[in-house]
Amino acid sequence: MVTYTESVDGVGEEALKGFFVGWPSPPSARTHLKILENSAFVVIARDEDSGDVVGFVNAISDGVLTAYVPLLEVRPAYQRQGIGSELMRRLMSRVTDFYMVDLLCDKDLQPFYGRFGMTPAIGMMVRNFERQSGE
Ligand SMILES: CC(C)(COP(=O)(O)OP(=O)(O)OC[C@H]1O[C@@H](n2cnc3c(N)ncnc32)[C@H](O)[C@@H]1OP(=O)(O)O)[C@@H](O)C(=O)NCCC(=O)NCCS
């Protein structure tokens, strides 16, 4: 059974494996945990049988106007079971009071995020690929 928490308390590095699929230089489990700890909001999906984290979403925030959602991922074996949607639903319910809730995504995911009240926008970004692992 998959259960959801909105805290990283009790989540260890050993439970964070199988994420950042396809990233050439992925963050380590230790760095992943630090990302979650430093985030303003997290929602974590765990497989109660194994104890493993199977999906997560995080948001960073100025605490006044803005929340930004940098990462959402469900481990491949657990995708298409509604977990990503539940993570987003729970996160969006935490940020309803902010003026801006933003994220960047590929075009093919716009319909997915549209289900949570988001609308397409034009954005700009920098990616320093030599810093991708966060080390
Ligand atoms: C996007 C992601 C989080 C969705 O998680 P999920 O648990 O599979 O999502 P759900 O089961 O709740 O919803 C599935 C729906 O999302 C949409 N969807 C999922 N992946 C998609 C993709 N790659 N392209 C387009 N739509 C997609 C589909 O509409 C799908 O509905 P369907 O199963 O009826 O076809 C997951 O595919 C993932 O981790 N992808 C890799 C990381 C990623 O791309 N993260 C988003 C960064 S912006």
Side-chain angles (χ1 to χ4, degrees):
M1 186 178 74
V2 173
T3 59
Y4 298 86
T5 59
E6 298 182 3
S7 160
V8 288
D9 293 349
V11 175
E13 290 172 29
E14 68 290 343
L16 290 166
K17 48 192 178 219
F19 289 105
F20 303 103
V21 172
W23 288 40
S25 181
S28 64
R30 183 188 183 135
T31 301
H32 190 177
L33 184 57
K34 191 171 167 189
I35 290 167
L36 297 175
E37 287 169 344
N38 288 354
S39 296
F41 305 96
V42 293
V43 188
I44 290 165
R46 293 189 90 152
D47 184 329
E48 284 300 310
D49 297 328
S50 64
D52 289 344
V53 174
V54 298
F56 75 98
V57 62
N58 69 324
I60 56 176
S61 176
D62 60 18
V64 182
L65 288 187
T66 312
Y68 181 77
V69 183
L71 296 168
L72 165 70
E73 187 170 357
V74 174
R75 280 171 43 184
Y78 291 83
Q79 289 179 11
R80 305 262 164 159
Q81 298 172 35
I83 296 171
S85 297
E86 186 61 22
L87 290 169
M88 276 305 292
R89 259 193 300 276
R90 287 173 181 251
L91 179 73
M92 294 304 279
S93 76
R94 304 277 308 279
V95 296
T96 47
D97 287 340
F98 288 107
Y99 170 59
M100 297 187 281
V101 181
D102 296 352
L103 60 78
L104 290 170
C105 71
D106 291 343
K107 202 167 179 54
D108 63 345
L109 276 170
Q110 286 179 337
F112 173 78
Y113 288 115
R115 295 178 192 173
F116 311 102
M118 301 189 117
T119 53
I122 295 170
M124 301 285 284
M125 65 184 196
V126 171
R127 291 290 182 271
N128 296 317
F129 283 100
E130 70 281 6
R131 298 284 308 139
Q132 190 180 58
S133 73
E135 304 293 343

